[in-house]
Amino acid sequence: MSRFKYDKYDFSAGVAQYKAIMNGQDAAFAPATTQMAEFCMKYGGHNGRKFFSDPELFVRGNLDVQQEFGFDVPDMVWDVYSVEAEALGGDMAWFDDLYPALDNTRPIIETEKDLARMKAPDPFKTGRMPWVLEVLQLCQELTGFPHHIHYCAPINLCAQVMQFEKMVVAIAERPQFVHKVMNWLCEEVLAPYINAYFKVVPGAEIANGKDAVGSLPFITEEMVHEFSVPYLDKLRKLTGNRRGLRCDNWWGDAFAENAEEYWDIKLQVTPQYLKVQDPDCFRVGTERIRKYADKKGCALSFGVGTLLLQKGTREDIIRRVHEYMEVGSRGPHGKKFFLYFCSFSAQTPVENVRTAIEAVKMFRRGELPYAGEVLSGPGGVAAEMAGGKGFMGMSTGSDADKAKEAKQEAIALAASGRKPIFQGIYDAIMEFDGDTCAELVAQALEDGESPNDILDEGLIPPMGEVGDLFAAGEFFVPEMLMAAKAMKQGLEVLRPIITAKKSKPKGVIVTATVFGDLHDIGKNLVGMMLEGAGFKVVDLGVNVKAEMIIETARKVDADVIGLSALLTTTMPFMKLIVEQIKKEGMTIPVICGGAPVSRDFAMEIGANGYGDNAPEAVELCKRLVSERVPA
């Protein structure tokens, strides 16, 4: 008996509508597309290591589930951020029940010598590139649909091979080197890989880039213009000037200084349509996006967010799907609309997947229990953001303006009583000038200022402002990283003196990204902010099990344990760690954070606190340390 449920797969009706939209034509109905490989893996009972390395298992395992549930367009989304970097020698982490992921704790390229030593991969022989090509050939053979290749977009691939934080610093300090790396990645890695796909999949026209860290607020709008768009344009030229060379999954629309101008750029890199996905779609509002698409005469896609699909009630999901389909399908260009389910993960309940597809079919049948209801837009509260979950820990709109005004008043008041030398240190950090910061710290020491005063009056206050500016949406991740780097240069001048005097830090914090998760940008930001606030941080890195966290916390006499997760699939490990800590009889408070984590979730698993952003995490640690009774 076959291990697969179906011998034949028929997605022809949905594919026909999708193709019509891609070709600028009207569709008979709005098709629904998705990303769901991890869900298919779990639902089919497959092992992750096998699923993402066996072409037939991957293709049939996806198609079986998608046909059973009634999806319109077949989806083949593998671990798209790791294939090219793996082919360049990157280390992979494999899991039995999760997507595999690149472990980029070891940078592949840091210097000119590293770049000179790099060997261009052969897409037909190197790493899992041949696996991807075989997957796409098999998908076409089984469905008749030339499924597009997904590639890691240039700036995202650069972040993978250099490490994100190091790339950001290099952009500020060695921009020409970053340009050199990105040119090489486009010319020697991405273009040959994509061209190999066009060669082996007849009729293929689309290559779709994935670019999570190429989005706001991971990078600034200036970086988008200099380090993202030009290389996507270059890649299009290198792959035959195909209009189907695109990159459609940018997010951060809600943080753009002018959303309409940001969407102009998105249309430049994805000329077939504009996609806006949650949480931005809900935050900006479907009606504003629909109005822009009508003005441009372009096709449109709204993306329903992963958190809602995982955590939402039946009513929540139907409401969101119906609003997005109703607003998306209205107006003169409403027949050029498709819905996107951002991701069904291994943690998505089966009933929620069925509800999402049922909601689409209800809408098509004219069953509209929420007709005319628009919940999205400024002031709207998304169901998945309830329970203390912020929006990247940042504010936009009027909230940001109020926060900014209040902060400016506080800064002016503090500056009026600050010594000139401390104000100079403060200004150097705010200007990301680490050399000047270090020089002024040394000067303050020569002038007789105590190390503690330099720390408390010069180095710590600007990091508080940086955190507030991030929370207000005035600073993005790169500015936080550059300010933290400048502060650390000053801190290094103080460190030998503080160490010699055996001055105690304000507390010891152990941080880790939990097992199964290799994302560390948020954790690293929190660590930098904690150091800037005078704490000692013991960072265990990524993919860390409970045993290591507990052993380290005991060894260093930790005051707080901080857990981070970016993937919904790894959140359960937070609960296991908290349970293990309590089982061991430890009284060290545990805090947690990360994109999918909420205050409600933290309470549910028995954590002692939740940080929605780096500044909030620092304040929480201060409070917990001050309240803690020594063991």
Side-chain angles (χ1 to χ4, degrees), residues 586-609:
M586 300 173 71
T587 60
I588 303 172
V590 180
I591 65 173
C592 57
V597 183
S598 69
R599 203 174 306 279
D600 279 355
F601 176 78
M603 292 177 61
E604 178 186 316
I605 67 173
N608 301 87

PDB file of all heavy atoms in Angstrom, residues 586-609:
ATOM      1  N   MET A 586      14.476  25.676  42.331  1.00  0.00           N
ATOM      2  CA  MET A 586      15.161  26.962  42.166  1.00  0.00           C
ATOM      3  C   MET A 586      14.161  28.105  42.274  1.00  0.00           C
ATOM      4  O   MET A 586      13.018  28.001  41.823  1.00  0.00           O
ATOM      5  CB  MET A 586      15.875  27.002  40.810  1.00  0.00           C
ATOM      6  CG  MET A 586      16.917  25.899  40.647  1.00  0.00           C
ATOM      7  SD  MET A 586      17.595  25.827  38.966  1.00  0.00           S
ATOM      8  CE  MET A 586      18.587  27.329  38.950  1.00  0.00           C
ATOM      9  N   THR A 587      14.617  29.204  42.860  1.00  0.00           N
ATOM     10  CA  THR A 587      13.736  30.371  43.035  1.00  0.00           C
ATOM     11  C   THR A 587      14.112  31.525  42.114  1.00  0.00           C
ATOM     12  O   THR A 587      13.605  32.629  42.276  1.00  0.00           O
ATOM     13  CB  THR A 587      13.788  30.850  44.497  1.00  0.00           C
ATOM     14  OG1 THR A 587      15.146  31.213  44.819  1.00  0.00           O
ATOM     15  CG2 THR A 587      13.294  29.765  45.440  1.00  0.00           C
ATOM     16  N   ILE A 588      14.996  31.267  41.157  1.00  0.00           N
ATOM     17  CA  ILE A 588      15.416  32.327  40.227  1.00  0.00           C
ATOM     18  C   ILE A 588      14.244  32.708  39.341  1.00  0.00           C
ATOM     19  O   ILE A 588      13.637  31.844  38.694  1.00  0.00           O
ATOM     20  CB  ILE A 588      16.591  31.850  39.353  1.00  0.00           C
ATOM     21  CG1 ILE A 588      17.768  31.406  40.226  1.00  0.00           C
ATOM     22  CG2 ILE A 588      17.022  32.946  38.391  1.00  0.00           C
ATOM     23  CD1 ILE A 588      18.879  30.738  39.439  1.00  0.00           C
ATOM     24  N   PRO A 589      13.881  33.987  39.286  1.00  0.00           N
ATOM     25  CA  PRO A 589      12.769  34.394  38.421  1.00  0.00           C
ATOM     26  C   PRO A 589      13.107  34.207  36.943  1.00  0.00           C
ATOM     27  O   PRO A 589      14.254  34.378  36.527  1.00  0.00           O
ATOM     28  CB  PRO A 589      12.565  35.874  38.764  1.00  0.00           C
ATOM     29  CG  PRO A 589      13.845  36.316  39.393  1.00  0.00           C
ATOM     30  CD  PRO A 589      14.427  35.117  40.059  1.00  0.00           C
ATOM     31  N   VAL A 590      12.091  33.848  36.179  1.00  0.00           N
ATOM     32  CA  VAL A 590      12.239  33.618  34.747  1.00  0.00           C
ATOM     33  C   VAL A 590      11.356  34.608  33.989  1.00  0.00           C
ATOM     34  O   VAL A 590      10.177  34.786  34.317  1.00  0.00           O
ATOM     35  CB  VAL A 590      11.835  32.177  34.363  1.00  0.00           C
ATOM     36  CG1 VAL A 590      12.001  31.956  32.860  1.00  0.00           C
ATOM     37  CG2 VAL A 590      12.650  31.170  35.153  1.00  0.00           C
ATOM     38  N   ILE A 591      11.955  35.268  32.986  1.00  0.00           N
ATOM     39  CA  ILE A 591      11.171  36.149  32.119  1.00  0.00           C
ATOM     40  C   ILE A 591      11.279  35.626  30.694  1.00  0.00           C
ATOM     41  O   ILE A 591      12.207  34.897  30.347  1.00  0.00           O
ATOM     42  CB  ILE A 591      11.653  37.615  32.189  1.00  0.00           C
ATOM     43  CG1 ILE A 591      13.073  37.751  31.638  1.00  0.00           C
ATOM     44  CG2 ILE A 591      11.578  38.133  33.617  1.00  0.00           C
ATOM     45  CD1 ILE A 591      13.537  39.202  31.517  1.00  0.00           C
ATOM     46  N   CYS A 592      10.315  35.973  29.860  1.00  0.00           N
ATOM     47  CA  CYS A 592      10.349  35.495  28.484  1.00  0.00           C
ATOM     48  C   CYS A 592       9.885  36.589  27.540  1.00  0.00           C
ATOM     49  O   CYS A 592       9.230  37.551  27.935  1.00  0.00           O
ATOM     50  CB  CYS A 592       9.515  34.237  28.315  1.00  0.00           C
ATOM     51  SG  CYS A 592       7.789  34.386  28.796  1.00  0.00           S
ATOM     52  N   GLY A 593      10.272  36.426  26.278  1.00  0.00           N
ATOM     53  CA  GLY A 593       9.897  37.395  25.259  1.00  0.00           C
ATOM     54  C   GLY A 593      10.153  36.827  23.884  1.00  0.00           C
ATOM     55  O   GLY A 593      10.650  35.715  23.727  1.00  0.00           O
ATOM     56  N   GLY A 594       9.802  37.606  22.865  1.00  0.00           N
ATOM     57  CA  GLY A 594       9.943  37.169  21.486  1.00  0.00           C
ATOM     58  C   GLY A 594       8.681  37.477  20.713  1.00  0.00           C
ATOM     59  O   GLY A 594       7.604  37.666  21.303  1.00  0.00           O
ATOM     60  N   ALA A 595       8.793  37.514  19.406  1.00  0.00           N
ATOM     61  CA  ALA A 595       7.689  37.955  18.550  1.00  0.00           C
ATOM     62  C   ALA A 595       6.351  37.256  18.834  1.00  0.00           C
ATOM     63  O   ALA A 595       5.321  37.919  18.904  1.00  0.00           O
ATOM     64  CB  ALA A 595       8.078  37.796  17.082  1.00  0.00           C
ATOM     65  N   PRO A 596       6.313  35.910  18.997  1.00  0.00           N
ATOM     66  CA  PRO A 596       5.009  35.272  19.191  1.00  0.00           C
ATOM     67  C   PRO A 596       4.559  35.201  20.646  1.00  0.00           C
ATOM     68  O   PRO A 596       3.455  34.750  20.925  1.00  0.00           O
ATOM     69  CB  PRO A 596       5.250  33.856  18.654  1.00  0.00           C
ATOM     70  CG  PRO A 596       6.673  33.585  18.987  1.00  0.00           C
ATOM     71  CD  PRO A 596       7.386  34.912  18.861  1.00  0.00           C
ATOM     72  N   VAL A 597       5.407  35.653  21.566  1.00  0.00           N
ATOM     73  CA  VAL A 597       5.131  35.496  23.000  1.00  0.00           C
ATOM     74  C   VAL A 597       4.290  36.662  23.497  1.00  0.00           C
ATOM     75  O   VAL A 597       4.483  37.806  23.077  1.00  0.00           O
ATOM     76  CB  VAL A 597       6.448  35.393  23.794  1.00  0.00           C
ATOM     77  CG1 VAL A 597       6.178  35.160  25.275  1.00  0.00           C
ATOM     78  CG2 VAL A 597       7.323  34.281  23.231  1.00  0.00           C
ATOM     79  N   SER A 598       3.379  36.379  24.394  1.00  0.00           N
ATOM     80  CA  SER A 598       2.519  37.431  24.947  1.00  0.00           C
ATOM     81  C   SER A 598       2.588  37.404  26.473  1.00  0.00           C
ATOM     82  O   SER A 598       3.084  36.451  27.086  1.00  0.00           O
ATOM     83  CB  SER A 598       1.065  37.231  24.512  1.00  0.00           C
ATOM     84  OG  SER A 598       0.520  36.085  25.120  1.00  0.00           O
ATOM     85  N   ARG A 599       2.038  38.450  27.071  1.00  0.00           N
ATOM     86  CA  ARG A 599       1.982  38.507  28.538  1.00  0.00           C
ATOM     87  C   ARG A 599       1.112  37.374  29.084  1.00  0.00           C
ATOM     88  O   ARG A 599       1.423  36.755  30.103  1.00  0.00           O
ATOM     89  CB  ARG A 599       1.423  39.873  28.974  1.00  0.00           C
ATOM     90  CG  ARG A 599       1.815  40.285  30.373  1.00  0.00           C
ATOM     91  CD  ARG A 599       1.356  41.712  30.672  1.00  0.00           C
ATOM     92  NE  ARG A 599       1.815  42.671  29.699  1.00  0.00           N
ATOM     93  CZ  ARG A 599       3.019  43.219  29.664  1.00  0.00           C
ATOM     94  NH1 ARG A 599       3.906  42.862  30.582  1.00  0.00           N
ATOM     95  NH2 ARG A 599       3.355  44.101  28.739  1.00  0.00           N
ATOM     96  N   ASP A 600       0.022  37.087  28.388  1.00  0.00           N
ATOM     97  CA  ASP A 600      -0.852  35.988  28.803  1.00  0.00           C
ATOM     98  C   ASP A 600      -0.109  34.657  28.772  1.00  0.00           C
ATOM     99  O   ASP A 600      -0.250  33.831  29.676  1.00  0.00           O
ATOM    100  CB  ASP A 600      -2.077  35.910  27.889  1.00  0.00           C
ATOM    101  CG  ASP A 600      -3.144  36.923  28.268  1.00  0.00           C
ATOM    102  OD1 ASP A 600      -2.978  37.622  29.285  1.00  0.00           O
ATOM    103  OD2 ASP A 600      -4.149  37.018  27.537  1.00  0.00           O
ATOM    104  N   PHE A 601       0.681  34.459  27.726  1.00  0.00           N
ATOM    105  CA  PHE A 601       1.434  33.206  27.612  1.00  0.00           C
ATOM    106  C   PHE A 601       2.433  33.086  28.750  1.00  0.00           C
ATOM    107  O   PHE A 601       2.599  32.011  29.342  1.00  0.00           O
ATOM    108  CB  PHE A 601       2.151  33.131  26.266  1.00  0.00           C
ATOM    109  CG  PHE A 601       3.027  31.919  26.102  1.00  0.00           C
ATOM    110  CD1 PHE A 601       2.472  30.685  25.803  1.00  0.00           C
ATOM    111  CD2 PHE A 601       4.405  32.000  26.275  1.00  0.00           C
ATOM    112  CE1 PHE A 601       3.270  29.548  25.672  1.00  0.00           C
ATOM    113  CE2 PHE A 601       5.211  30.879  26.139  1.00  0.00           C
ATOM    114  CZ  PHE A 601       4.637  29.647  25.836  1.00  0.00           C
ATOM    115  N   ALA A 602       3.109  34.181  29.077  1.00  0.00           N
ATOM    116  CA  ALA A 602       4.079  34.169  30.176  1.00  0.00           C
ATOM    117  C   ALA A 602       3.404  33.777  31.484  1.00  0.00           C
ATOM    118  O   ALA A 602       3.933  32.965  32.264  1.00  0.00           O
ATOM    119  CB  ALA A 602       4.749  35.535  30.300  1.00  0.00           C
ATOM    120  N   MET A 603       2.228  34.316  31.747  1.00  0.00           N
ATOM    121  CA  MET A 603       1.493  33.973  32.964  1.00  0.00           C
ATOM    122  C   MET A 603       1.055  32.507  32.933  1.00  0.00           C
ATOM    123  O   MET A 603       1.134  31.794  33.927  1.00  0.00           O
ATOM    124  CB  MET A 603       0.276  34.878  33.112  1.00  0.00           C
ATOM    125  CG  MET A 603       0.606  36.336  33.389  1.00  0.00           C
ATOM    126  SD  MET A 603      -0.874  37.370  33.477  1.00  0.00           S
ATOM    127  CE  MET A 603      -1.741  36.627  34.854  1.00  0.00           C
ATOM    128  N   GLU A 604       0.628  32.076  31.754  1.00  0.00           N
ATOM    129  CA  GLU A 604       0.124  30.706  31.588  1.00  0.00           C
ATOM    130  C   GLU A 604       1.191  29.659  31.915  1.00  0.00           C
ATOM    131  O   GLU A 604       0.893  28.622  32.506  1.00  0.00           O
ATOM    132  CB  GLU A 604      -0.360  30.541  30.137  1.00  0.00           C
ATOM    133  CG  GLU A 604      -0.875  29.171  29.777  1.00  0.00           C
ATOM    134  CD  GLU A 604      -1.192  29.086  28.291  1.00  0.00           C
ATOM    135  OE1 GLU A 604      -1.798  30.032  27.747  1.00  0.00           O
ATOM    136  OE2 GLU A 604      -0.808  28.078  27.675  1.00  0.00           O
ATOM    137  N   ILE A 605       2.442  29.937  31.536  1.00  0.00           N
ATOM    138  CA  ILE A 605       3.502  28.946  31.763  1.00  0.00           C
ATOM    139  C   ILE A 605       4.191  29.121  33.113  1.00  0.00           C
ATOM    140  O   ILE A 605       5.097  28.369  33.452  1.00  0.00           O
ATOM    141  CB  ILE A 605       4.555  28.988  30.639  1.00  0.00           C
ATOM    142  CG1 ILE A 605       5.353  30.304  30.659  1.00  0.00           C
ATOM    143  CG2 ILE A 605       3.917  28.744  29.285  1.00  0.00           C
ATOM    144  CD1 ILE A 605       6.523  30.324  29.676  1.00  0.00           C
ATOM    145  N   GLY A 606       3.778  30.121  33.873  1.00  0.00           N
ATOM    146  CA  GLY A 606       4.333  30.318  35.213  1.00  0.00           C
ATOM    147  C   GLY A 606       5.596  31.148  35.255  1.00  0.00           C
ATOM    148  O   GLY A 606       6.328  31.128  36.256  1.00  0.00           O
ATOM    149  N   ALA A 607       5.869  31.913  34.169  1.00  0.00           N
ATOM    150  CA  ALA A 607       7.035  32.800  34.179  1.00  0.00           C
ATOM    151  C   ALA A 607       6.773  33.973  35.120  1.00  0.00           C
ATOM    152  O   ALA A 607       5.627  34.289  35.456  1.00  0.00           O
ATOM    153  CB  ALA A 607       7.328  33.300  32.770  1.00  0.00           C
ATOM    154  N   ASN A 608       7.854  34.640  35.520  1.00  0.00           N
ATOM    155  CA  ASN A 608       7.729  35.764  36.462  1.00  0.00           C
ATOM    156  C   ASN A 608       7.560  37.101  35.769  1.00  0.00           C
ATOM    157  O   ASN A 608       7.379  38.121  36.439  1.00  0.00           O
ATOM    158  CB  ASN A 608       8.969  35.823  37.359  1.00  0.00           C
ATOM    159  CG  ASN A 608       9.156  34.548  38.149  1.00  0.00           C
ATOM    160  OD1 ASN A 608       9.777  33.605  37.669  1.00  0.00           O
ATOM    161  ND2 ASN A 608       8.615  34.493  39.360  1.00  0.00           N
ATOM    162  N   GLY A 609       7.634  37.101  34.465  1.00  0.00           N
ATOM    163  CA  GLY A 609       7.466  38.365  33.760  1.00  0.00           C
ATOM    164  C   GLY A 609       7.612  38.199  32.264  1.00  0.00           C
ATOM    165  O   GLY A 609       8.035  37.153  31.758  1.00  0.00           O
TER     166      GLY A 609
END
